[in-house]
Amino acid sequence: MADQLYDFGLIGLGVMGRNLLLNMADHGFAVLGYNRSPQKVTDLESEMVPGTTIKGTSDLALMVKELKTPRRIMLLVQAGKPVDAVLDELIPLLDKGDIIIDGGNSHYTDTNRRTRTLQEKGFHFMGVGVSGGEEGARRGPSIMPGGDREAYPHVQPMLEAVSAKVNGEPCVAYLGNGAAGHYVKMVHNGIEYGIMQLISEVYDVLHRGYGLSNSELHEVFREWNEGQLQSFLVEITRDILKKKDDKTGKDLVDVILDKAGSKGTGKWTSQDAMDLGISIPTIDVAVSMRSLSAIKAERVEAAAIYNSNTKVSGADKDELIEQARQALLFGTLISYAQGLALLHEASREYNLEIPLPQVVKIWRGGCIIRSTLLEDYYKAYTANPSLPNILLDAGIAGLVKSCEAKTRSFLATAVSAGIPVSGLSVSLGYFDAYRSATMPTNLIQAQRDFFGAHTFQRTDEEGIFHAHWQ
Ligand code: 6PG
Protein backbone atom coordinates (compact mmCIF):
# COMPACT_ATOMS: atom_id res chain seq x y z
CA MET A 1 0.00 0.00 0.00
CA ALA A 2 2.89 2.33 -0.85
CA ASP A 3 0.83 5.16 -2.31
CA GLN A 4 -1.93 5.10 0.24
CA LEU A 5 -2.61 8.52 1.64
CA TYR A 6 -3.66 8.25 5.24
CA ASP A 7 -6.32 10.34 6.98
CA PHE A 8 -4.68 10.77 10.34
CA GLY A 9 -1.33 10.38 12.05
CA LEU A 10 -0.66 9.70 15.69
CA ILE A 11 2.65 10.15 17.44
CA GLY A 12 3.20 8.12 20.60
CA LEU A 13 2.13 4.50 20.54
CA GLY A 14 1.85 3.92 24.26
CA VAL A 15 -1.28 2.04 25.21
CA MET A 16 -3.46 5.19 24.96
CA GLY A 17 -2.13 6.13 21.53
CA ARG A 18 -2.35 2.59 20.22
CA ASN A 19 -5.92 2.19 21.42
CA LEU A 20 -7.06 5.51 20.02
CA LEU A 21 -5.57 4.64 16.66
CA LEU A 22 -7.26 1.21 16.64
CA ASN A 23 -10.52 2.97 17.52
CA MET A 24 -10.11 5.40 14.59
CA ALA A 25 -9.38 2.51 12.23
CA ASP A 26 -12.54 0.71 13.46
CA HIS A 27 -14.48 3.75 12.26
CA GLY A 28 -13.12 3.47 8.73
CA PHE A 29 -10.26 5.98 8.87
CA ALA A 30 -6.91 5.08 7.36
CA VAL A 31 -4.43 5.80 10.11
CA LEU A 32 -0.70 5.94 10.63
CA GLY A 33 1.08 5.58 13.96
CA TYR A 34 4.59 6.69 14.73
CA ASN A 35 6.87 5.68 17.55
CA ARG A 36 10.61 5.94 17.78
CA SER A 37 10.70 2.45 19.28
CA PRO A 38 10.19 -0.30 16.64
CA GLN A 39 8.79 -2.56 19.39
CA LYS A 40 5.84 -0.19 19.90
CA VAL A 41 5.23 -0.24 16.14
CA THR A 42 5.18 -4.04 16.16
CA ASP A 43 2.76 -3.98 19.12
CA LEU A 44 0.41 -1.75 17.16
CA GLU A 45 0.49 -3.89 14.05
CA SER A 46 -0.05 -7.07 16.05
CA GLU A 47 -3.35 -5.69 17.35
CA MET A 48 -4.61 -4.55 13.97
CA VAL A 49 -8.17 -5.68 13.21
CA PRO A 50 -8.54 -7.35 9.77
CA GLY A 51 -10.28 -5.11 7.26
CA THR A 52 -9.01 -1.87 8.86
CA THR A 53 -6.24 0.35 7.51
CA ILE A 54 -3.45 0.93 9.97
CA LYS A 55 0.25 1.33 9.47
CA GLY A 56 2.99 1.79 12.02
CA THR A 57 6.35 3.39 11.40
CA SER A 58 9.49 4.52 13.19
CA ASP A 59 10.25 6.97 10.41
CA LEU A 60 8.69 10.36 11.09
CA ALA A 61 9.44 11.75 7.62
CA LEU A 62 7.72 8.75 6.05
CA MET A 63 4.67 9.31 8.20
CA VAL A 64 4.46 12.95 7.16
CA LYS A 65 4.87 12.01 3.49
CA GLU A 66 2.00 9.53 3.57
CA LEU A 67 -0.62 11.76 5.18
CA LYS A 68 -3.34 13.59 3.23
CA THR A 69 -3.05 17.39 3.36
CA PRO A 70 -3.76 19.44 5.33
CA ARG A 71 -2.13 16.86 7.56
CA ARG A 72 -3.85 15.97 10.79
CA ILE A 73 -1.46 14.72 13.42
CA MET A 74 -2.11 14.01 17.07
CA LEU A 75 0.58 13.81 19.74
CA LEU A 76 -0.06 11.47 22.65
CA VAL A 77 3.23 11.72 24.46
CA GLN A 78 4.16 12.51 28.04
CA ALA A 79 3.32 16.10 29.03
CA GLY A 80 6.12 18.63 29.35
CA LYS A 81 9.47 18.52 27.53
CA PRO A 82 8.66 15.41 25.42
CA VAL A 83 5.89 17.39 23.66
CA ASP A 84 8.32 20.17 22.75
CA ALA A 85 10.94 17.65 21.65
CA VAL A 86 8.48 15.95 19.28
CA LEU A 87 7.28 19.31 17.92
CA ASP A 88 10.88 20.38 17.24
CA GLU A 89 11.39 17.26 15.19
CA LEU A 90 8.02 17.36 13.47
CA ILE A 91 7.58 21.00 12.46
CA PRO A 92 10.41 21.17 9.88
CA LEU A 93 8.77 18.25 8.05
CA LEU A 94 5.32 19.87 7.77
CA ASP A 95 3.70 22.41 5.45
CA LYS A 96 1.90 25.56 6.51
CA GLY A 97 -1.77 24.87 7.17
CA ASP A 98 -1.17 21.44 8.70
CA ILE A 99 -3.05 20.67 11.91
CA ILE A 100 -1.32 19.47 15.05
CA ILE A 101 -3.29 18.24 18.03
CA ASP A 102 -1.83 17.70 21.47
CA GLY A 103 -4.02 15.01 23.04
CA GLY A 104 -1.99 14.62 26.24
CA ASN A 105 -2.40 16.15 29.68
CA SER A 106 -0.33 19.25 28.92
CA HIS A 107 -0.34 22.19 31.29
CA TYR A 108 -2.55 24.86 29.78
CA THR A 109 0.18 27.51 29.89
CA ASP A 110 2.37 25.25 27.72
CA THR A 111 -0.55 24.92 25.33
CA ASN A 112 -0.89 28.72 25.17
CA ARG A 113 2.81 29.07 24.40
CA ARG A 114 2.74 26.36 21.71
CA THR A 115 -0.42 27.81 20.15
CA ARG A 116 1.31 31.20 19.80
CA THR A 117 4.59 29.93 18.37
CA LEU A 118 2.98 27.48 15.97
CA GLN A 119 0.43 30.02 14.79
CA GLU A 120 3.27 32.43 14.00
CA LYS A 121 4.83 29.72 11.85
CA GLY A 122 1.56 29.14 9.97
CA PHE A 123 0.39 25.91 11.62
CA HIS A 124 -2.90 25.09 13.32
CA PHE A 125 -2.57 23.82 16.87
CA MET A 126 -5.24 22.44 19.16
CA GLY A 127 -4.97 21.37 22.79
CA VAL A 128 -7.37 18.47 23.26
CA GLY A 129 -8.16 16.68 26.51
CA VAL A 130 -8.85 12.97 26.16
CA SER A 131 -10.34 11.08 29.08
CA GLY A 132 -11.31 7.50 29.68
CA GLY A 133 -8.08 5.66 30.24
CA GLU A 134 -6.99 2.73 28.09
CA GLU A 135 -10.44 1.25 27.67
CA GLY A 136 -11.96 4.64 26.85
CA ALA A 137 -9.36 5.27 24.15
CA ARG A 138 -10.18 1.92 22.55
CA ARG A 139 -13.99 1.95 22.88
CA GLY A 140 -14.88 5.65 23.07
CA PRO A 141 -13.37 8.42 25.20
CA SER A 142 -14.72 11.80 26.16
CA ILE A 143 -12.83 14.35 24.07
CA MET A 144 -12.32 18.00 25.05
CA PRO A 145 -11.00 20.04 22.12
CA GLY A 146 -10.13 23.71 22.32
CA GLY A 147 -8.11 26.26 20.39
CA ASP A 148 -7.95 26.89 16.67
CA ARG A 149 -11.56 27.28 15.49
CA GLU A 150 -10.61 27.16 11.83
CA ALA A 151 -8.94 23.77 12.25
CA TYR A 152 -11.74 22.17 14.24
CA PRO A 153 -14.04 21.25 11.31
CA HIS A 154 -11.13 19.27 9.82
CA VAL A 155 -10.88 17.00 12.85
CA GLN A 156 -14.47 17.13 14.09
CA PRO A 157 -15.85 14.16 12.07
CA MET A 158 -13.03 11.93 13.24
CA LEU A 159 -13.26 12.98 16.89
CA GLU A 160 -17.03 12.53 16.83
CA ALA A 161 -16.74 9.08 15.30
CA VAL A 162 -14.29 7.75 17.88
CA SER A 163 -15.78 9.40 20.99
CA ALA A 164 -18.16 7.78 23.46
CA LYS A 165 -21.87 8.26 22.73
CA VAL A 166 -24.69 9.08 25.14
CA ASN A 167 -28.21 8.77 23.73
CA GLY A 168 -26.55 8.61 20.31
CA GLU A 169 -24.78 11.96 20.84
CA PRO A 170 -20.97 12.15 20.68
CA CYS A 171 -19.04 13.02 23.84
CA VAL A 172 -17.00 15.70 22.13
CA ALA A 173 -17.64 19.40 21.55
CA TYR A 174 -15.58 22.46 20.80
CA LEU A 175 -14.84 23.92 24.22
CA GLY A 176 -13.38 27.34 23.54
CA ASN A 177 -10.39 29.52 22.78
CA GLY A 178 -6.69 28.93 23.30
CA ALA A 179 -5.99 26.28 25.87
CA ALA A 180 -9.68 25.75 26.79
CA GLY A 181 -9.55 22.02 26.00
CA HIS A 182 -6.58 21.38 28.25
CA TYR A 183 -7.97 23.64 30.94
CA VAL A 184 -11.24 21.70 31.00
CA LYS A 185 -9.31 18.39 31.10
CA MET A 186 -7.18 19.67 33.99
CA VAL A 187 -10.29 20.56 35.99
CA HIS A 188 -11.86 17.22 35.03
CA ASN A 189 -8.85 15.58 36.66
CA GLY A 190 -9.15 17.84 39.73
CA ILE A 191 -12.75 16.68 40.18
CA GLU A 192 -11.54 13.10 39.59
CA TYR A 193 -9.04 13.53 42.45
CA GLY A 194 -11.79 14.91 44.71
CA ILE A 195 -14.25 12.08 44.10
CA MET A 196 -11.56 9.40 44.43
CA GLN A 197 -10.55 10.88 47.80
CA LEU A 198 -14.19 10.88 48.98
CA ILE A 199 -14.71 7.26 47.94
CA SER A 200 -11.56 6.25 49.80
CA GLU A 201 -12.84 7.98 52.94
CA VAL A 202 -16.22 6.23 53.05
CA TYR A 203 -14.43 2.93 52.33
CA ASP A 204 -12.13 3.65 55.29
CA VAL A 205 -14.97 4.38 57.72
CA LEU A 206 -16.94 1.29 56.67
CA HIS A 207 -13.95 -1.06 56.39
CA ARG A 208 -11.33 -0.05 58.97
CA GLY A 209 -13.84 1.72 61.21
CA TYR A 210 -16.92 -0.49 61.15
CA GLY A 211 -15.29 -3.71 59.99
CA LEU A 212 -17.25 -4.47 56.81
CA SER A 213 -15.35 -7.00 54.73
CA ASN A 214 -14.30 -6.31 51.17
CA SER A 215 -16.96 -8.65 49.87
CA GLU A 216 -19.64 -6.87 51.94
CA LEU A 217 -18.33 -3.57 50.59
CA HIS A 218 -18.41 -4.97 47.08
CA GLU A 219 -22.17 -5.48 47.60
CA VAL A 220 -22.56 -1.98 49.07
CA PHE A 221 -20.87 -0.36 46.07
CA ARG A 222 -22.84 -2.60 43.71
CA GLU A 223 -26.08 -1.29 45.18
CA TRP A 224 -24.87 2.29 45.21
CA ASN A 225 -23.97 2.02 41.57
CA GLU A 226 -27.57 1.18 40.76
CA GLY A 227 -28.91 4.42 42.25
CA GLN A 228 -28.07 8.12 42.49
CA LEU A 229 -24.35 7.37 42.81
CA GLN A 230 -24.15 5.51 39.50
CA SER A 231 -20.77 6.46 38.07
CA PHE A 232 -17.61 5.05 36.58
CA LEU A 233 -15.61 5.56 39.78
CA VAL A 234 -18.19 3.81 41.99
CA GLU A 235 -18.47 1.02 39.43
CA ILE A 236 -14.72 0.33 39.34
CA THR A 237 -14.56 0.50 43.16
CA ARG A 238 -17.23 -2.24 43.24
CA ASP A 239 -15.06 -4.38 40.96
CA ILE A 240 -11.79 -3.60 42.75
CA LEU A 241 -13.27 -4.84 46.04
CA LYS A 242 -13.80 -8.36 44.73
CA LYS A 243 -10.52 -8.75 42.85
CA LYS A 244 -8.17 -11.45 44.17
CA ASP A 245 -4.38 -11.23 44.08
CA ASP A 246 -2.88 -13.80 41.68
CA LYS A 247 0.17 -14.22 43.91
CA THR A 248 -1.37 -14.69 47.34
CA GLY A 249 -5.06 -15.33 46.74
CA LYS A 250 -5.83 -12.46 49.13
CA ASP A 251 -8.04 -9.51 48.21
CA LEU A 252 -5.80 -7.46 45.94
CA VAL A 253 -6.84 -4.15 47.52
CA ASP A 254 -5.44 -5.37 50.87
CA VAL A 255 -1.96 -5.96 49.49
CA ILE A 256 -1.67 -2.62 47.68
CA LEU A 257 0.59 -0.15 49.49
CA ASP A 258 -1.23 2.98 50.71
CA LYS A 259 1.01 5.49 48.92
CA ALA A 260 -0.75 7.30 46.07
CA GLY A 261 1.03 8.49 42.97
CA SER A 262 0.11 11.51 40.87
CA LYS A 263 1.15 13.08 37.63
CA GLY A 264 0.34 16.68 38.47
CA THR A 265 -3.03 17.59 36.99
CA GLY A 266 -4.78 17.65 40.38
CA LYS A 267 -2.08 19.88 41.81
CA TRP A 268 -2.26 22.19 38.79
CA THR A 269 -6.01 22.55 39.33
CA SER A 270 -5.44 23.64 42.93
CA GLN A 271 -2.59 25.96 42.00
CA ASP A 272 -4.62 27.70 39.33
CA ALA A 273 -7.68 27.98 41.56
CA MET A 274 -5.49 29.66 44.18
CA ASP A 275 -4.20 32.09 41.56
CA LEU A 276 -7.74 32.90 40.46
CA GLY A 277 -9.02 33.17 44.05
CA ILE A 278 -11.55 30.38 43.63
CA SER A 279 -12.24 28.09 46.55
CA ILE A 280 -11.93 24.36 45.68
CA PRO A 281 -11.00 22.82 49.06
CA THR A 282 -12.25 19.30 48.27
CA ILE A 283 -9.80 19.11 45.37
CA ASP A 284 -7.03 20.77 47.42
CA VAL A 285 -7.46 18.18 50.17
CA ALA A 286 -7.42 15.33 47.67
CA VAL A 287 -4.04 16.53 46.40
CA SER A 288 -2.79 17.07 49.91
CA MET A 289 -3.86 13.60 51.13
CA ARG A 290 -1.91 11.99 48.29
CA SER A 291 1.14 13.91 49.54
CA LEU A 292 0.51 12.76 53.10
CA SER A 293 0.04 9.19 51.89
CA ALA A 294 3.54 9.28 50.38
CA ILE A 295 5.29 9.78 53.75
CA LYS A 296 4.45 6.28 54.92
CA ALA A 297 7.45 5.85 57.26
CA GLU A 298 6.62 9.06 59.11
CA ARG A 299 2.97 8.05 59.42
CA VAL A 300 3.97 4.70 60.88
CA GLU A 301 6.10 6.52 63.46
CA ALA A 302 3.28 8.93 64.31
CA ALA A 303 0.79 6.07 64.59
CA ALA A 304 2.91 4.59 67.38
CA ILE A 305 2.91 7.90 69.26
CA TYR A 306 -0.74 8.88 68.78
CA ASN A 307 -2.21 5.42 68.78
CA SER A 308 -5.95 5.69 68.11
CA ASN A 309 -8.34 2.79 67.86
CA THR A 310 -10.24 4.10 64.79
CA LYS A 311 -13.18 1.81 65.57
CA VAL A 312 -16.77 2.81 64.98
CA SER A 313 -18.78 1.31 67.79
CA GLY A 314 -22.48 1.10 68.47
CA ALA A 315 -23.62 2.14 64.99
CA ASP A 316 -26.51 0.45 63.22
CA LYS A 317 -25.04 -1.20 60.12
CA ASP A 318 -27.77 -0.31 57.63
CA GLU A 319 -28.02 3.24 58.93
CA LEU A 320 -24.25 3.75 58.75
CA ILE A 321 -24.18 2.47 55.18
CA GLU A 322 -27.01 4.82 54.22
CA GLN A 323 -25.21 7.74 55.89
CA ALA A 324 -22.07 6.80 53.96
CA ARG A 325 -24.01 6.74 50.70
CA GLN A 326 -25.49 10.16 51.33
CA ALA A 327 -22.17 11.60 52.48
CA LEU A 328 -20.52 10.35 49.30
CA LEU A 329 -23.32 11.86 47.22
CA PHE A 330 -23.01 15.14 49.10
CA GLY A 331 -19.22 15.30 48.70
CA THR A 332 -19.45 14.34 45.03
CA LEU A 333 -21.94 17.14 44.36
CA ILE A 334 -19.61 19.58 46.11
CA SER A 335 -16.56 18.35 44.16
CA TYR A 336 -18.27 18.97 40.85
CA ALA A 337 -19.59 22.33 42.11
CA GLN A 338 -16.08 23.50 42.96
CA GLY A 339 -14.55 22.33 39.68
CA LEU A 340 -17.33 23.88 37.62
CA ALA A 341 -17.12 27.16 39.56
CA LEU A 342 -13.41 27.21 38.72
CA LEU A 343 -14.19 26.67 35.03
CA HIS A 344 -16.74 29.48 35.14
CA GLU A 345 -14.19 31.94 36.53
CA ALA A 346 -11.24 30.74 34.43
CA SER A 347 -13.34 31.08 31.30
CA ARG A 348 -14.08 34.70 32.18
CA GLU A 349 -10.60 35.62 33.40
CA TYR A 350 -8.66 33.98 30.55
CA ASN A 351 -11.27 34.72 27.88
CA LEU A 352 -11.63 31.03 27.07
CA GLU A 353 -15.38 31.16 26.28
CA ILE A 354 -15.95 27.70 27.73
CA PRO A 355 -19.57 26.59 27.19
CA LEU A 356 -20.43 24.90 30.49
CA PRO A 357 -23.55 23.14 29.13
CA GLN A 358 -21.32 21.45 26.53
CA VAL A 359 -18.68 20.55 29.12
CA VAL A 360 -21.10 18.64 31.34
CA LYS A 361 -22.79 17.15 28.31
CA ILE A 362 -19.60 15.57 27.00
CA TRP A 363 -18.61 14.38 30.48
CA ARG A 364 -21.73 12.19 30.58
CA GLY A 365 -19.94 9.38 28.76
CA GLY A 366 -16.44 8.05 28.19
CA CYS A 367 -14.55 9.98 30.86
CA ILE A 368 -13.40 9.04 34.35
CA ILE A 369 -15.91 11.34 36.10
CA ARG A 370 -18.95 10.24 34.10
CA SER A 371 -21.97 9.79 36.33
CA THR A 372 -25.73 10.08 36.22
CA LEU A 373 -25.43 13.38 38.10
CA LEU A 374 -24.13 14.98 34.92
CA GLU A 375 -27.63 14.72 33.43
CA ASP A 376 -28.82 16.98 36.27
CA TYR A 377 -25.97 19.42 35.63
CA TYR A 378 -26.72 19.42 31.93
CA LYS A 379 -30.31 20.39 32.68
CA ALA A 380 -29.18 23.09 35.09
CA TYR A 381 -26.66 24.67 32.71
CA THR A 382 -29.00 24.42 29.75
CA ALA A 383 -31.52 26.48 31.72
CA ASN A 384 -28.84 28.92 32.89
CA PRO A 385 -25.45 28.65 31.10
CA SER A 386 -23.87 31.43 33.14
CA LEU A 387 -24.50 29.98 36.60
CA PRO A 388 -21.46 30.94 38.70
CA ASN A 389 -21.98 27.90 40.90
CA ILE A 390 -24.12 24.83 40.29
CA LEU A 391 -25.21 24.96 43.96
CA LEU A 392 -27.40 27.94 43.02
CA ASP A 393 -29.58 25.76 40.78
CA ALA A 394 -32.85 24.78 42.43
CA GLY A 395 -32.70 21.16 41.26
CA ILE A 396 -29.14 20.66 42.53
CA ALA A 397 -30.02 22.46 45.78
CA GLY A 398 -32.79 19.91 46.30
CA LEU A 399 -30.29 17.06 45.91
CA VAL A 400 -27.74 18.64 48.25
CA LYS A 401 -30.36 19.33 50.93
CA SER A 402 -31.65 15.77 50.69
CA CYS A 403 -28.31 14.35 51.84
CA GLU A 404 -27.07 17.09 54.15
CA ALA A 405 -28.38 15.73 57.47
CA LYS A 406 -26.98 12.21 57.11
CA THR A 407 -23.66 13.64 55.90
CA ARG A 408 -23.37 15.48 59.22
CA SER A 409 -24.16 12.29 61.18
CA PHE A 410 -21.66 10.28 59.16
CA LEU A 411 -18.94 12.87 59.70
CA ALA A 412 -19.66 13.03 63.43
CA THR A 413 -19.19 9.25 63.65
CA ALA A 414 -15.97 9.30 61.62
CA VAL A 415 -14.49 12.24 63.51
CA SER A 416 -15.27 10.64 66.91
CA ALA A 417 -13.54 7.46 65.79
CA GLY A 418 -10.46 9.39 64.65
CA ILE A 419 -10.78 8.27 61.03
CA PRO A 420 -9.48 10.91 58.62
CA VAL A 421 -12.32 12.26 56.50
CA SER A 422 -10.70 15.48 55.34
CA GLY A 423 -12.33 15.49 51.91
CA LEU A 424 -15.82 15.03 53.30
CA SER A 425 -15.16 17.53 56.10
CA VAL A 426 -14.00 20.32 53.83
CA SER A 427 -16.85 19.58 51.44
CA LEU A 428 -19.28 20.22 54.28
CA GLY A 429 -17.22 23.20 55.47
CA TYR A 430 -17.27 24.68 51.98
CA PHE A 431 -21.03 24.20 51.78
CA ASP A 432 -21.61 25.75 55.20
CA ALA A 433 -19.50 28.78 54.28
CA TYR A 434 -20.96 29.13 50.78
CA ARG A 435 -24.50 29.20 52.12
CA SER A 436 -23.58 31.68 54.92
CA ALA A 437 -24.91 35.14 54.19
CA THR A 438 -22.48 36.37 56.84
CA MET A 439 -19.02 35.02 57.55
CA PRO A 440 -16.71 35.85 60.45
CA THR A 441 -14.34 37.61 58.05
CA ASN A 442 -15.36 40.96 59.57
CA LEU A 443 -13.09 39.97 62.46
CA ILE A 444 -10.23 39.11 60.10
CA GLN A 445 -10.60 42.52 58.47
CA ALA A 446 -10.49 44.14 61.91
CA GLN A 447 -7.29 42.23 62.76
CA ARG A 448 -5.68 43.20 59.46
CA ASP A 449 -6.51 46.80 60.05
CA PHE A 450 -5.33 46.59 63.68
CA PHE A 451 -1.82 45.34 62.95
CA GLY A 452 -1.22 46.52 59.42
CA ALA A 453 -3.59 49.43 58.69
CA HIS A 454 -4.95 47.35 55.81
CA THR A 455 -8.30 49.19 55.98
CA PHE A 456 -11.83 47.81 55.83
CA GLN A 457 -15.23 48.52 54.35
CA ARG A 458 -18.32 49.16 56.49
CA THR A 459 -21.75 47.58 56.37
CA ASP A 460 -23.51 50.92 56.84
CA GLU A 461 -21.54 53.33 54.65
CA GLU A 462 -19.64 53.31 51.31
CA GLY A 463 -15.89 53.89 51.35
CA ILE A 464 -12.60 52.63 52.75
CA PHE A 465 -11.92 53.05 56.48
CA HIS A 466 -9.13 52.73 59.00
CA ALA A 467 -9.57 52.79 62.76
CA HIS A 468 -7.13 53.88 65.48
CA TRP A 469 -7.28 50.67 67.44
CA GLN A 470 -5.07 51.56 70.41
C1 6PG B 1 -8.41 10.31 32.34
C2 6PG B 1 -7.43 10.32 33.47
C3 6PG B 1 -6.04 10.25 32.95
C4 6PG B 1 -5.02 9.83 33.96
C5 6PG B 1 -4.85 10.79 35.09
C6 6PG B 1 -4.16 10.13 36.25
O1 6PG B 1 -9.19 11.25 32.32
O2 6PG B 1 -8.40 9.39 31.54
O3 6PG B 1 -7.58 11.46 34.25
O4 6PG B 1 -5.78 11.46 32.33
O5 6PG B 1 -5.36 8.59 34.46
O6 6PG B 1 -4.06 11.84 34.64
O7 6PG B 1 -3.65 11.13 37.03
P1 6PG B 1 -2.75 10.87 38.27
O8 6PG B 1 -1.66 9.93 37.84
O9 6PG B 1 -2.25 12.23 38.60
O10 6PG B 1 -3.63 10.27 39.31
Side-chain angles (χ1 to χ4, degrees):
M1 213 186 271
D3 296 316
Q4 165 84 42
L5 280 184
Y6 289 83
D7 299 306
F8 199 85
L10 196 141
I11 297 179
L13 299 177
V15 64
M16 287 287 290
R18 200 162 70 230
N19 282 355
L20 201 59
L21 213 53
L22 291 163
N23 181 352
M24 287 178 181
D26 285 349
H27 286 87
F29 297 103
V31 291
L32 256 176
Y34 164 85
N35 206 289
R36 191 188 308 260
S37 140
Q39 183 55 48
K40 290 258 165 66
V41 173
T42 312
D43 292 348
L44 170 72
E45 289 182 333
S46 71
E47 285 184 43
M48 191 170 150
V49 178
T52 60
T53 309
I54 298 192
K55 181 168 142 179
T57 178
S58 287
D59 181 343
L60 196 57
L62 181 89
M63 172 189 196
V64 169
K65 202 168 128 243
E66 294 194 352
L67 285 171
K68 288 180 191 163
T69 54
R71 296 179 184 86
R72 292 167 290 186
I73 301 175
M74 181 185 272
L75 273 57
L76 262 180
V77 299
Q78 206 192 320
K81 289 204 175 91
V83 176
D84 290 313
V86 170
L87 288 174
D88 286 346
E89 229 178 301
L90 179 66
I91 294 302
L93 304 172
L94 298 181
D95 294 317
K96 286 190 175 168
D98 285 347
I99 300 163
I100 307 151
I101 297 170
D102 176 9
N105 278 329
S106 290
H107 194 282
Y108 79 95
T109 53
D110 283 339
T111 304
N112 280 334
R113 170 177 55 80
R114 290 169 189 142
T115 304
R116 265 195 316 274
T117 48
L118 291 173
Q119 220 164 30
E120 280 162 17
K121 291 181 179 157
F123 299 103
H124 297 285
F125 184 70
M126 300 192 75
V128 175
V130 180
S131 176
E134 296 171 16
E135 188 59 20
R138 184 70 187 88
R139 306 278 161 223
S142 176
I143 308 178
M144 297 155 238
D148 201 317
R149 259 175 222 276
E150 228 180 281
Y152 187 58
H154 293 273
V155 293
Q156 184 176 0
M158 191 167 294
L159 298 183
E160 288 184 352
V162 301
S163 73
K165 310 286 179 303
V166 171
N167 307 329
E169 293 184 281
C171 292
V172 54
Y174 180 79
L175 295 185
N177 305 325
H182 278 152
Y183 200 93
V184 171
K185 177 63 188 350
M186 176 186 82
V187 174
H188 164 285
N189 283 24
I191 297 171
E192 169 186 308
Y193 271 54
I195 299 173
M196 288 167 77
Q197 172 64 25
L198 299 168
I199 293 176
S200 76
E201 291 176 9
V202 299
Y203 151 78
D204 201 19
V205 174
L206 295 176
H207 183 59
R208 188 164 59 125
Y210 191 74
L212 289 190
S213 68
N214 292 327
S215 63
E216 285 173 300
L217 276 167
H218 161 75
E219 277 306 310
V220 167
F221 276 87
R222 189 190 57 72
E223 261 183 48
W224 288 358
N225 194 47
E226 281 159 18
Q228 287 170 300
L229 281 173
Q230 196 289 317
S231 61
F232 174 73
L233 287 168
V234 167
E235 183 187 316
I236 63 165
T237 307
R238 172 198 73 190
D239 296 347
I240 286 167
L241 288 163
K242 69 158 194 236
K243 173 82 178 155
K244 296 288 176 200
D245 175 29
D246 292 340
K247 290 191 181 154
T248 60
K250 292 180 183 168
D251 293 343
L252 183 55
V253 69
D254 289 343
V255 293
I256 294 180
L257 187 67
D258 55 348
K259 276 171 147 182
S262 62
K263 292 195 199 71
T265 43
K267 181 180 78 177
W268 298 344
T269 310
S270 284
Q271 287 173 326
D272 213 64
M274 288 279 176
D275 287 344
L276 289 172
I278 296 294
S279 172
I280 57 162
T282 310
I283 297 169
D284 300 339
V285 156
V287 176
S288 178
M289 287 300 119
R290 288 198 192 186
S291 305
L292 202 54
S293 83
I295 51 165
K296 172 86 175 172
E298 244 178 276
R299 286 190 287 113
V300 169
E301 205 181 323
I305 302 171
Y306 296 104
N307 177 36
S308 80
N309 80 3
T310 59
K311 290 291 164 241
V312 172
S313 49
D316 175 78
K317 181 172 156 183
D318 290 341
E319 174 58 17
L320 187 68
I321 292 173
E322 180 53 16
Q323 286 175 4
R325 187 188 73 82
Q326 294 198 20
L328 181 55
L329 181 61
F330 182 91
T332 301
L333 287 161
I334 300 291
S335 264
Y336 282 115
Q338 292 173 7
L340 291 165
L342 173 59
L343 280 182
H344 174 83
E345 177 58 16
S347 177
R348 201 190 57 76
E349 179 65 27
Y350 304 139
N351 188 30
L352 296 174
E353 296 182 0
I354 297 171
L356 284 178
Q358 297 301 314
V359 170
V360 292
K361 184 177 178 205
I362 66 160
W363 283 353
R364 291 178 310 166
C367 69
I368 304 295
I369 62 168
R370 61 186 185 257
S371 77
T372 50
L373 287 175
L374 286 158
E375 279 302 340
D376 299 290
Y377 298 151
Y378 183 42
K379 266 189 220 126
Y381 279 120
T382 307
N384 185 357
S386 57
L387 261 181
N389 192 311
I390 197 82
L391 295 176
L392 295 176
D393 174 77
I396 302 301
L399 266 176
V400 171
K401 284 185 198 168
S402 74
C403 48
E404 181 193 335
K406 286 203 192 297
T407 298
R408 291 186 194 281
S409 309
F410 184 74
L411 271 165
T413 303
V415 169
S416 314
I419 299 169
V421 279
S422 322
L424 288 167
S425 308
V426 295
S427 300
L428 185 61
Y430 170 87
F431 169 75
D432 281 334
Y434 186 70
R435 59 85 182 260
S436 283
T438 54
M439 285 175 72
T441 9
N442 51 335
L443 184 58
I444 292 174
Q445 284 298 78
Q447 290 164 334
R448 292 178 69 241
D449 193 55
F450 187 113
F451 62 67
H454 293 299
T455 72
F456 55 86
Q457 290 172 280
R458 298 179 60 97
T459 56
D460 54 358
E461 205 182 316
E462 286 290 316
I464 301 293
F465 299 88
H466 167 57
H468 298 287
W469 293 96
Q470 304 197 61

